[in-house]
Amino acid sequence: MHTKSLRELSSDLHAKKISSVELTQHYLDRINKFDKDLNSFITVTPEHALNLAKKADELIKQNKAGVLTGIPMAQKDIFCTQDIKTTCGSKMLDNFIAPYNATVVEKCNQAGLVMLGKTNMDEFAMGASNETSFYGPVKNPWDLSCVPGGSSGGSAAAIAAGLTPIATGTDTGGSIRQPAAMCNLTGLKPTYGCVSRYGMIAFASSLDQGGPMGRSAEDVALFLNVLAGFDEKDSTSVEREKEDYTKNLNNPINKLKIGLPKEYFTADLNKDIHAALDEAIKIYKKLGAEFIEISLPNSPLAIPVYYTVAPAECSSNLSRFDGVRYGHRCKNPKDLLDLYKRSRDEGFGAEVKRRILTGTYVLSAGYYDAYYLKAQRIRHLIRDDFTKAFEKVDIILGATAPTTAFPIGSKINDPVSMYLADIYTSAVNLAGLPGMSIPVGFQHKLPIGMQLIGPHFSEAKLLNTAHVFQQATDFHTKTPGGF
Amino acid sequence: MSVTKDDIHHIAHLARLNLDETRVPEYTQNLNNLLELVSQMEKINTENIEPMAHPLDGQQQRFRDDKITEQNQRDRFQKIAPEIVEGLYIVPQVIE
Amino acid sequence: MALDNWETVIGLEVHVQLLTKSKLFSGAPIAYGAEPNTQACAIDLGMPGVLPVLNQEAVKMAAKLGVSINATVNTRCVFARKNYFYPDLPKGYQISQYDLPIVSNGHLDIVLESGEIKRIGVTRAHLEEDAGKSLHEAMPNASGIDLNRAGTPLLEIVSEPDMRSAKEAVAYLKSLHALVKYLEICDGNLQEGSFRCDANVSVRKKGAEKYGTRAELKNINSFRFVEKAINLEVERQIGILENGGTIKQETRLYDSDKNETRSMRSKEDANDYRYFPDPDLLPVMITSEFIADIKNNLPELPDQKRERFKKSYAISDYEAVILSSSKEMADYYEATTKLADPKLSANWIIGELSAYLNKHSLDIAESPITPALLSGLLNRISDNTVSNNIAKKVFEKIWETKKTADEIIESEGLKQVSDSGEIIKVIEEIMKNNPSQLAEYRSGKDKLFGFFVGQVMKAMGGKANPAQLNELLKKHLA
């Protein structure tokens, strides 16, 4: 049951082979059984889920159901859910019951999706291993001693272990794609402005984008149909015609031009990952795609730029957590300054504090030009590199992450080495492009992800490219043992 | 450029963070490591390059009509507040 | 203190609360005096994940001001975050504008006491959101935070340091106040904080080129206090400088109860605001059509009104300046001119009516005598029903009773006597009773003419038509 695709689940529901309540219960049971080991959920909401499932069954009975009505899913705990705890993986929000729904949550509700609970994540989405969560690290279902990637590590682990068919993620520098790669999933970070950020707790506003995670490009396309769309509550949401992302999934790709950036295929690239990508390229060539070597000369700067811009924005975005109106407040503050400083010290974990300090520094008097402004100028150059590349090619292909899943604890004390996990992904956020990760093989039983990057609003093309590949391969159908 | 412990104290104050004194050397080292990583930016010539604050070009701010769309939800908002007296958020005395 | 050796330099920052229905970035209402925190929505409270969307009306209002001070309304402006922690600032940053404001490089002409016109530069005007309020009365050692005001649209209008005295500063403020009310972008209510002023004050030796170090005076909420606060600050600074001290750049609070300015400690360490473009908001692009639309719908401005008054109503410069000094004044005047003689209307509004309003501390909009009531009286002067002097008595009665001039003239029997026979009767009576004065007059003491006018008027209760009385008296005394 839990390995079925969304299409299969949908037709079972519509054919009344199974009810949404039964399906939901099935997943809730699995969460009960397996999540003690995985720690992929922060909050499980069985009652809420079964209520939604009942409503979904009613709609199915009345023939008023949509494609995804009655299908269980999980929300990353960064999306505000009305009357349900929303923690963002932080002690700061351990007591935070949001008084409103994020637009993404509203859209899922409208589509009849059944939320099973809220998934674990790096604190405020700051991390690449899910180890910075106040609620403890998430384990990778492929190897419980390894991280699932981050920051959407809970969503990734939950899908990989079959605790939910799909889940939302958010991606600021790679947080959907990198955990998708490490857990053998398909994850899409949409074009900036494609999915509403309203009610999604901000990390770095000009980089954050919510998106779908699932087992296949088709599942992700179906899910993106729900998530995407203009929202008047988000000034950065782009007003454009609604797309059906499943429409072009099966288009032939025999005229597709795929770019291989030479900066992504250097001697530094892990040999096994390189080999897996070479295999994938062969498959694409067989499918008729043409490969062109391209250059993204400024891509080595993506990490420095990203780790300047993202902390700058985060330092300001996280100022609202001050212990006054909601969230953690220290006991017996002796004065106002003490209230602020102690509440924030107690409420935030080490990585969040590091980023706030960095961001405050790069924006402060005397350093703004050398860091923040310089980074935003180089960001322009990085974006221009992509623009030029997309004059020659339709899609860019490369690795999603420099390594497969690494052991829990191996990088957490060396922040800079952890930051390098975003080396192939963060440029995409800086340029606001859509990018996705799909499974392309394994390195010692640990999944390898391949990244596909397209021009702005080329999600349908990316999904088509991924789907055609998945029709020709079976990497994405592999699941970890023991679940 | 390299930051000192004093710099960390100053930034921490600006950011209203109390830092555990024993961890200040670590935070100082972290920031210096990051700044070293980031220092690669210095080599890039960015003359005449506009800073890019938003990832999408040509987008402009949308306007909202001047309409009241929000109702009073004080009770709901204040249910999650640490301290309320007569509808006011309470903090230690503000000295002006 | 040798005040004469020093020159005062003043620049003003005025925060104008814009008259929108909803907030700058949220759909929460704006109303003064509501129950605490009942007008603050999730966006105003800085809840996690919520996002700002810009109110079009606020942009229009800012552009309106820009156009009417001959400034550049920038085709592209950007919102920036000003980062600092304060309990009345829910997000830990204020959304404001920094290096790319909506309005730059304008000017405002002010009329000095001498009647001379001085041009004051307006450096910029930018949109920003207001903060909430900290209330200190609620509990001992604690403050209560009311965020109703948080997110209210403000237009901060920053002048050049072009003013050289507290009086000029007040004149500038009054002109700006009149302008924003003319434009209907602000209710101008100083008590409620809709029009707030911070003054940057410095002094320098006369003839010096460099500006002195300035202090920023905050919290001045009346025109009278502006003058007082600036003068106090100027004296303080000159006192320090003459004693060999130096001025510290700081923020000072004016305390109207104690009539002193004092340093604000709370603002001391908050000056690294780490401005950067707000990533939640995109650049605001203002098209030439948008500006053209605003220009086409602009109301008549004070300067234009002044010129038109002079031309259409044949009134003096002085009268035109006063009558166009506020929208309410101008509206009152124009309403009156529709019903009565414009020149006479000007006289009475500037004279009698203003004196009464001053005495009762009323604004012209609150005048118990409406333009209709006033014009009713003025028309009785024009048609000689009452004399100017009697009219003043009638005016007082109208003020007290709100009855029409005709009703009062009728019930009090104040109608002017223009019947020659009746006047002659009284003249003859007075001549009979004052033989010695009559003889003196006739022997050449012309001054006594006034005496006879007075006597007749007195006998007739002031109701004699003055021109007619003069004529008849001359004939009879001769």
Side-chain angles (χ1 to χ4, degrees), chain C residues 434-474:
Chain C
N434 298 285
S436 58
Q437 281 88 344
L438 184 63
E440 274 180 63
Y441 178 80
R442 284 184 170 156
S443 67
K445 208 168 178 186
D446 291 349
K447 271 193 200 158
L448 279 169
F449 187 74
F451 166 79
F452 286 101
V453 173
Q455 290 298 308
V456 178
M457 272 299 188
K458 200 175 160 194
M460 296 185 69
K463 288 182 288 182
N465 179 325
Q468 218 176 349
L469 170 62
N470 267 352
E471 198 182 315
L472 291 169
L473 202 55
K474 261 185 200 150

Side-chain angles (χ1 to χ4, degrees), chain A residues 100 199 235 316-317 320 325-326 340, chain C residues 45-49 52 81 90:
Chain A
Y100 44 83
S235 294
S316 174
N317 280 335
R320 66 187 61 202
R325 297 164 317 285
Y326 50 79
Y340 284 149
Chain C
L45 294 171
M47 289 273 175
R81 293 183 181 178

Side-chain angles (χ1 to χ4, degrees), chain A residues 59-134:
Chain A
L59 288 173
I60 292 168
K61 214 190 278 170
Q62 296 166 4
N63 276 325
K64 286 181 188 159
V67 196
L68 298 189
T69 303
I71 290 182
M73 60 85 64
Q75 293 284 4
K76 183 176 180 179
D77 206 18
I78 198 169
F79 291 100
C80 287
T81 40
Q82 192 171 313
D83 302 328
I84 293 168
K85 192 162 88 160
T86 301
T87 70
C88 223
S90 181
K91 180 181 177 186
M92 182 58 87
L93 293 179
D94 186 44
N95 59 2
F96 181 68
I97 312 282
Y100 44 83
N101 276 329
T103 298
V104 156
V105 173
E106 284 293 327
K107 283 180 180 280
C108 289
N109 287 345
Q110 278 157 21
L113 284 164
V114 174
M115 187 183 88
L116 300 166
K118 312 283 299 282
T119 57
N120 205 341
M121 56 182 284
D122 277 299
E123 185 180 8
F124 285 102
M126 296 172 201
S129 68
N130 218 115
E131 291 167 286
T132 71
S133 170
F134 173 64

Side-chain angles (χ1 to χ4, degrees), chain C residues 213-313:
Chain C
T213 306
R214 61 191 163 84
E216 187 181 359
L217 297 179
K218 282 216 176 282
N219 195 29
I220 344 185
N221 60 4
S222 86
F223 295 136
R224 199 160 52 90
F225 290 161
V226 168
E227 195 170 342
K228 281 189 166 182
I230 291 174
N231 283 333
L232 268 173
E233 181 57 22
V234 168
E235 279 175 36
R236 188 187 72 89
Q237 290 187 12
I238 294 175
I240 291 172
L241 292 171
E242 294 211 327
N243 287 312
T246 51
I247 306 298
K248 205 171 116 195
Q249 183 162 344
E250 61 180 350
T251 305
R252 298 181 69 83
L253 190 77
Y254 174 66
D255 183 332
S256 57
D257 294 334
K258 295 185 185 149
N259 197 35
E260 61 172 29
T261 68
R262 61 169 183 270
S263 187
M264 276 177 90
R265 282 185 301 136
S266 60
K267 301 274 172 185
E268 286 309 284
D269 64 7
N271 46 18
D272 191 349
Y273 291 126
R274 290 159 283 136
Y275 280 100
F276 75 105
D278 190 330
D280 287 332
L281 292 158
L282 298 166
V284 180
M285 308 301 254
I286 294 177
T287 60
S288 45
E289 291 80 36
F290 189 90
I291 302 291
D293 184 54
I294 281 167
K295 278 189 176 151
N296 292 337
N297 291 300
L298 213 57
E300 190 181 31
L301 299 177
D303 293 1
Q304 297 162 339
K305 203 155 264 193
R306 193 174 66 218
E307 290 313 305
R308 181 170 60 83
F309 281 4
K310 268 159 57 181
K311 243 205 282 183
S312 326
Y313 303 129

Side-chain angles (χ1 to χ4, degrees), chain A residues 249-270:
Chain A
L249 282 178
N250 289 303
N251 282 7
I253 58 158
N254 54 5
K255 282 185 186 132
L256 191 74
K257 285 186 200 153
I258 301 179
L260 300 173
K262 62 178 188 212
E263 293 80 6
Y264 287 9
F265 291 89
T266 60
D268 293 346
L269 181 61
N270 177 292

